[in-house]
Structure formats: C-alpha cells, structure tokens
Amino acid sequence: MINGKYEIPLPMIEKPMVVPDSEPMAFERLQRLKRKFKDDEYYRQYKQFMINLLEKGYVEKVPKCEVKNQQAWYIPHFGVRHPTKKDKVRVVFDCAARVNDLSLNDLLRQGPDISNLLLGVLLRFRLGLYACTADIETMYYQVKVPEDDRDYLRFLWWKDGQIGSDIVKTSHPFGASCSPSIANYALKRVVQDHGSQFYTSVSEIVLNNFYVDDLLVLSDDIDEMIDNSVNVIDLCSKGGFNLTKLNSNSFKVLNSLPKEMSSDSTEKFIKDEDVVRKALGLNWSLGKDKISISLNVDEIPRTKRKLLAVIGKVYDPLGILAPVVLEGRILLQNLFRNGIGWDCTLSERDKGQINVWMSRVNRFKLFIIDRCTKKGITSKVESIQCHIFCD
C-alpha cells in the first residue's frame, strides 16, 4: 500500500508494451472536444472535474524531461451527463480509441469478473427490516498505478487556454476494461488484510453486499444495523475507500452515522415521509421502505431508433417488467427482419402494432417491491411481495 491506498500495476498482455504514436489522435479528439466547450456551462463543469482530479492527486503533470518518452499512450477523453444530474459532467477516458487498429484496451487483460451478482444484492436488500445504502467515492481512482506504468495513461489538457499540458494518471481510469476487476480486487483485499480486526459479519457485508461501488446493508436489529454500518465504513477506509451518500429507512440509523458522509436525507426524513433515493438504480422510498419501478412513456415511437430508445429506458434488473418489455422487443426484432432503416418512417401497420403495445405499457404505472413480514411476535422478513399497479 502507498499512503493508505493499494497500488496495482496495469495487467499488460506483454511487458513492456510497444505502442504506436497516439498523441496525434488524442490531439485531434481534444480539438473536437473544444467545439463542445462553446457551451459555457458544459466547459465549466468539465474544467472543474479536471481541477478536482489534479487537486486530489488522481492525476499529475508529466515532468518536462519525460514528455518525449516514446513508450507512452495518450488517452482521449469526453464528458457524459447523467439524465437526472444535469449539473455534473463525468469525464470518461476512452481507452478503446484506436491507433493503427490498436487500442489501449487491446494491450491489457480485462481480468475476471469478480463483482457480486446484481440480482443477489438486490434480493438480499429486501430481507431485513432496517437497511442502509452508500457508495464509494470515485472508486476506481482510489487504486493507484505504479510509476513505471503511468506513461501508458497520459492525456492532453489545456494550459493558459492552449493545448500544452501532458498529464498522466496516477490511478486506474474510468474507461479502461481492466479497471472494474482491479477495483473490486482491491476492495476484497481490504477484507483479507484488515478483516480480522472486525466481526465476521462486517467482513461478509463488504464481500457480499457491494455491487461494484454501491453498498446495500441490512439487518433485523437496529442496534446491529448501526454497529455494522459504522464498522463497514471503518473497514473500507483502511483501503482508502471512502463511503459517501449514506441513506437509511431508519432515522435512528441516519442520525448515528457521520453527517459528512450522509446525503441530505436526515432533515428531509423528519419533514417528509416520502424521501426517495436510488438503490442500485431503483427508486427507494425511505419512509415507506418501498422499492419501485415506474414506467411512464409519453412519446409514441415513430421510427426504429425511437422504439429502441423507449425499450432502453426501462431499467428492470429484477425482470418484473419482462412480460411488458418482451412484446416491444419482438416488435423491434420484426423491424430488423423487414430491413427497416433506423430513421425511416414506419408503415401504418407497424405504427398500429406499436400503438397497441404502448397502450398496454402506459397501463402500468408503478411496480412496488415490498417486504412481507410474518404476523405475530417476530418481525423477521419471511418473503418478498411484488405489487403491480395499473389502470
């Protein structure tokens, strides 16, 4: 470990890697990106993201004496916005960008998929009366890259308004095919190295209740819930992983956790019973303790591209909406079979079939995954209920 963080080398297929000159490609991509910066707000958010990377030590400027190092790969980058978070830009490093039909990802081993199953994490989340969620702050960036490998993670940025800064990443980038496996390995290594200092249940939570950087903790006893949450925060911190955006369906749990790690739920929890937060992409009502999937599509798709967009909006990891979505996928499959272009206006027959499907889709307003408790002296959750509300 280096300064409390794990340092893991790039999993190169061959070492040392022999790479083509990628700087011209990265330079051209940066010039294209500059055109998007005509949007002042987009540029401000992008620039702030880069400043944060520098200030937190996730990247550093390449020393002038090392700029001409021939064995260096320059990664182009671009910004993405979450549909519900318009005030924030996340910069993605495009490790799939190709030079001479070769990309950085081609030169790296992807590594095994050691993430927990999403379905398992979600189902276990509904098997306790008290629940808490959190996520790891910039998880990939918490795992450092040895100095010998950093020249393969260079990128270009501006200095005084001109392209003139060679910057190298000191941590694993969001965009490399190997980063998920490396970050998950580092998280599990925390348990191996420091888990003996904690109860076995705490280590099991870190091993089994994370889905990548999202944590879902549960318990039937509120005191155990608080104790486990505090200890999980402590255990993760020993590997440099800082938990943030803490939420819970219990005000007592929220009030017992560090305020700086919590979201704004604590005050809203008191004022409004129906505070809604995300739990692995699903809507979680904290006060009512219900997870829901809403499906409201207003625009009727008139092209194959629009139909694909409507189907793609449905996020349903539990498969509850499969009977509804499957019919739409069959309609899309038929359009492919008939050779319909992406933006061609659909025939009246195809439009009619889509309209019938959409009328069925819009009947379904809300799917709620609830807890079902056994009546009597015990409050232990015995099963899971799913309620489907439709017109």
Side-chain angles (χ1 to χ4, degrees), residues 77-111:
H77 46 88
F78 58 93
V80 295
R81 276 180 172 145
H82 193 280
T84 60
K85 300 176 182 177
K86 301 295 185 181
D87 60 337
K88 184 178 179 181
V89 168
R90 170 182 280 185
V91 176
V92 178
F93 292 88
D94 188 3
C95 298
R98 309 187 81 80
V99 178
N100 298 340
D101 202 32
L102 193 69
S103 73
L104 180 61
N105 280 340
D106 292 335
L107 301 171
L108 300 174
R109 300 184 189 278
Q110 184 173 336

Side-chain angles (χ1 to χ4, degrees), residues 6-253:
Y6 287 100
E7 186 176 83
I8 300 176
L10 293 174
M12 303 176 191
I13 295 176
E14 294 184 2
K15 191 172 184 177
M17 291 195 298
V18 179
V19 298
D21 182 11
S22 56
E23 186 175 4
M25 176 271 294
F27 183 88
E28 181 186 352
R29 288 279 297 269
L30 194 63
Q31 292 286 25
R32 275 190 261 165
L33 179 65
K34 190 175 182 179
R35 300 187 196 114
K36 295 184 178 181
F37 287 166
K38 292 179 181 179
D39 180 343
D40 292 338
E41 184 60 19
Y42 181 79
Y43 174 61
R44 184 191 67 78
Q45 294 170 4
Y46 206 109
K47 182 179 178 181
Q48 187 58 52
F49 189 97
M50 289 298 190
I51 290 173
N52 289 340
L53 292 184
L54 280 164
E55 289 180 345
K56 293 181 179 181
Y58 301 149
V59 302
E60 62 185 17
K61 294 182 180 179
V62 178
K64 289 185 178 180
C65 61
E66 298 179 13
V67 168
K68 297 302 181 181
N69 183 357
Q70 296 301 310
Q71 289 306 305
W73 186 280
Y74 287 81
I75 312 173
H77 46 88
F78 58 93
V80 295
R81 276 180 172 145
H82 193 280
T84 60
K85 300 176 182 177
K86 301 295 185 181
D87 60 337
K88 184 178 179 181
V89 168
R90 170 182 280 185
V91 176
V92 178
F93 292 88
D94 188 3
C95 298
R98 309 187 81 80
V99 178
N100 298 340
D101 202 32
L102 193 69
S103 73
L104 180 61
N105 280 340
D106 292 335
L107 301 171
L108 300 174
R109 300 184 189 278
Q110 184 173 336
D113 182 3
I114 54 177
S115 299
N116 293 313
L117 291 177
L118 174 60
L119 181 61
V121 174
L122 272 174
L123 289 178
R124 286 193 293 274
F125 181 58
R126 306 311 289 161
L127 294 176
L129 292 176
Y130 303 101
C132 179
T133 65
D135 64 44
I136 297 175
E137 181 182 14
T138 54
M139 181 181 185
Y140 294 175
Y141 293 146
Q142 307 311 321
V143 186
K144 309 300 283 185
V145 176
E147 284 192 32
D148 291 345
D149 292 355
R150 292 177 185 175
D151 277 336
Y152 297 110
L153 300 176
R154 288 191 188 185
F155 65 95
L156 297 173
W157 190 239
W158 277 272
K159 180 181 180 181
D160 301 324
Q162 301 293 324
I163 298 176
S165 292
D166 282 33
I167 300 180
V168 64
K169 290 194 65 60
T170 63
S171 53
H172 287 271
F174 186 84
S177 60
C178 59
S179 293
S181 182
I182 288 172
N184 274 285
Y185 169 77
L187 182 61
K188 295 181 186 299
R189 184 61 186 261
V190 176
V191 176
Q192 181 180 329
D193 293 344
H194 304 283
S196 59
Q197 303 172 30
F198 300 85
Y199 294 120
T200 303
S201 59
V202 176
S203 297
E204 289 177 349
I205 288 172
V206 176
L207 290 175
N208 301 321
N209 288 52
F210 268 102
Y211 181 71
V212 191
D213 61 343
D214 289 303
L215 172 66
L216 281 70
V217 187
L218 58 143
S219 177
D220 286 318
D221 181 88
I222 193 165
D223 293 325
E224 181 185 59
M225 177 81 247
I226 294 171
D227 188 53
N228 282 342
S229 299
V230 171
N231 281 295
V232 166
I233 291 171
D234 191 16
L235 177 54
C236 289
S237 68
K238 293 186 180 299
F241 297 110
N242 179 40
L243 291 179
T244 60
K245 301 178 184 176
L246 297 171
N247 284 300
S248 175
N249 61 347
S250 166
F251 176 74
K252 184 177 179 180
V253 173

Side-chain angles (χ1 to χ4, degrees), residues 149-373:
D149 292 355
R150 292 177 185 175
D151 277 336
Y152 297 110
L153 300 176
R154 288 191 188 185
F155 65 95
L156 297 173
W157 190 239
W158 277 272
K159 180 181 180 181
D160 301 324
Q162 301 293 324
I163 298 176
S165 292
D166 282 33
I167 300 180
V168 64
K169 290 194 65 60
T170 63
S171 53
H172 287 271
F174 186 84
S177 60
C178 59
S179 293
S181 182
I182 288 172
N184 274 285
Y185 169 77
L187 182 61
K188 295 181 186 299
R189 184 61 186 261
V190 176
V191 176
Q192 181 180 329
D193 293 344
H194 304 283
S196 59
Q197 303 172 30
F198 300 85
Y199 294 120
T200 303
S201 59
V202 176
S203 297
E204 289 177 349
I205 288 172
V206 176
L207 290 175
N208 301 321
N209 288 52
F210 268 102
Y211 181 71
V212 191
D213 61 343
D214 289 303
L215 172 66
L216 281 70
V217 187
L218 58 143
S219 177
D220 286 318
D221 181 88
I222 193 165
D223 293 325
E224 181 185 59
M225 177 81 247
I226 294 171
D227 188 53
N228 282 342
S229 299
V230 171
N231 281 295
V232 166
I233 291 171
D234 191 16
L235 177 54
C236 289
S237 68
K238 293 186 180 299
F241 297 110
N242 179 40
L243 291 179
T244 60
K245 301 178 184 176
L246 297 171
N247 284 300
S248 175
N249 61 347
S250 166
F251 176 74
K252 184 177 179 180
V253 173
L254 279 175
N255 213 30
S256 302
L257 298 175
K259 295 293 185 293
E260 65 274 11
M261 293 184 177
S262 301
S263 66
D264 59 353
S265 307
T266 309
E267 292 182 5
K268 290 185 177 180
F269 201 101
I270 302 172
K271 299 176 183 176
D272 184 3
E273 177 183 66
D274 197 25
V275 177
V276 178
R277 290 293 177 266
K278 291 291 184 180
L280 289 178
L282 301 178
N283 296 322
W284 180 33
S285 172
L286 303 186
K288 297 177 180 178
D289 190 25
K290 297 180 185 295
I291 285 186
S292 61
I293 305 170
S294 58
L295 181 60
N296 292 306
V297 182
D298 298 325
E299 183 182 357
I300 304 296
R302 299 300 183 189
T303 65
K304 188 170 76 173
R305 190 185 303 276
K306 291 288 186 182
L307 178 59
L308 178 62
V310 168
I311 296 171
K313 285 180 180 179
V314 181
Y315 176 70
D316 177 28
L318 295 173
I320 297 170
L321 304 179
V324 183
V325 178
L326 180 60
E327 188 177 350
R329 292 187 181 277
I330 292 173
L331 292 174
L332 181 65
Q333 186 181 58
N334 290 336
L335 295 180
F336 274 102
R337 284 175 176 167
N338 295 332
I340 305 299
W342 282 106
D343 298 303
C344 295
T345 302
L346 302 180
S347 67
E348 293 302 319
R349 178 177 175 274
D350 290 331
K351 288 179 184 177
Q353 290 178 334
I354 292 174
N355 285 342
V356 171
W357 173 65
M358 288 296 297
S359 66
R360 292 173 184 162
V361 168
N362 286 324
R363 289 183 60 217
F364 294 90
K365 298 299 182 185
L366 190 66
F367 294 72
I368 295 180
I369 302 95
D370 203 353
R371 303 181 197 273
C372 178
T373 57

